[in-house]
Every structure is written in C-alpha cells, then in structure tokens.
Amino acid sequence: MAESEARATLRATIKKFVDEIFGFYLTDQHNNLIIQAGGARVLIIPDDWIEGQTVVKIMTLVNVKTPVTAELTKYLAAENNKILFGKFSLDSNAPAVLFHHNLLGDFLNRNQFELAVKIVLAVAAKYGQEIEKEFGGSKPA
C-alpha cells in the first residue's frame, strides 16, 4: 500500500526533528525511525489516523521476558493512573512491557516532539529497573 502524502510529509518532518535533536537514527523495514539513547531504543512511527489526519506513535520496550501476572497488571494499571503522558501496555506473546505515547501529527512541533521522546526514554529508564526488580524479566539489550 502506498504511503499517503500526509504520512510522507509527517515522516520528513520527524526525520528533520530527529536529526536536529539527536543527530542520528536508524530505520526499520517499514521506514519507521529508531533512536538509541539513554540505554533505551525508541521506535517512532508516523501513521495515518482518521479523515486524512496523522498521528506519531512513540514507543519503547521497558522489559522483556517479564512474566505476565495479576500483580504486574495491577501495578501497570496503577502506574498508568499516575503518569500524565503515555501509558504502559503488555505484549503477552513476547512477553514484554512497553511504554508508548501518541502525538497528533498534523499539529506536531519540534519542542513537543522532543519532550515526548524524552519522556518515553525517562520512563523506560526509571521503570525498567523497578519492574525487573519486582516482577522479573530484564531490560532489553
């Protein structure tokens, strides 16, 4: 499927911002951006949303091989209530704990984008150790 013009424009904007802020990035097989910083790998996905609008998905793995238990799900739900921006989720197939935040692509500005990426990095650093200690698993390599 061909990329929409709105998504292509958003992707170019994000690449420009990442170059200015971090100076480097990798891309995956879908041309999404990957930033390695602060011991975490952040995936940035520009995407089409609804009625020609776009969204930027910013996500990272917090822990891998973490047993999914009732205690872990209660902990993540409670932490989701405390965190102002972003949210935790589980990939029970991996198993893994993820953290992600979304931004409206049509209104994206550099400062907002930079702050969102740094929030995702900070949460991964803080909670990665806590989750590993309390629930097992490990921070991704």
Side-chain angles (χ1 to χ4, degrees):
M1 187 165 127
E3 183 169 71
S4 72
E5 184 178 332
R7 187 174 174 188
T9 300
L10 178 60
R11 184 180 311 282
T13 299
I14 292 169
K15 286 181 176 183
K16 177 180 178 270
F17 290 166
V18 170
D19 272 337
E20 292 172 0
I21 299 163
F22 299 99
F24 65 95
Y25 62 87
L26 302 171
T27 55
D28 67 8
Q29 68 272 22
H30 304 290
N31 203 23
N32 298 315
L33 285 76
I34 302 167
I35 300 170
Q36 184 84 33
R41 187 174 299 141
V42 176
L43 179 62
I44 301 167
I45 304 169
D47 207 355
D48 290 309
W49 188 35
I50 56 171
E51 298 178 13
Q53 296 180 336
T54 58
V55 64
V56 181
K57 300 173 184 175
I58 304 168
M59 65 180 64
T60 190
L61 280 170
V62 177
N63 284 79
V64 294
K65 300 179 183 171
T66 309
V68 178
T69 63
E71 291 79 19
L72 175 63
T73 59
K74 286 180 191 176
Y75 172 80
L76 294 176
E79 294 307 304
N80 276 340
N81 279 332
K82 295 177 190 175
I83 295 173
L84 188 57
F85 297 104
K87 64 183 174 189
F88 288 103
S89 65
L90 291 170
D91 179 347
S92 57
N93 294 325
V97 176
L98 299 102
F99 185 77
H100 39 102
H101 182 61
N102 299 325
L103 298 170
L104 295 173
D106 299 348
F107 303 99
L108 190 66
N109 69 57
R110 185 186 183 279
N111 292 336
Q112 174 193 48
F113 175 77
E114 181 177 3
L115 182 59
V117 171
K118 288 181 176 179
I119 287 169
V120 170
L121 286 166
V123 167
K126 177 183 187 288
Y127 283 93
Q129 292 177 344
E130 288 181 24
I131 292 170
E132 181 178 352
K133 182 180 175 184
E134 187 70 28
F135 302 101
S138 61
K139 292 172 63 176

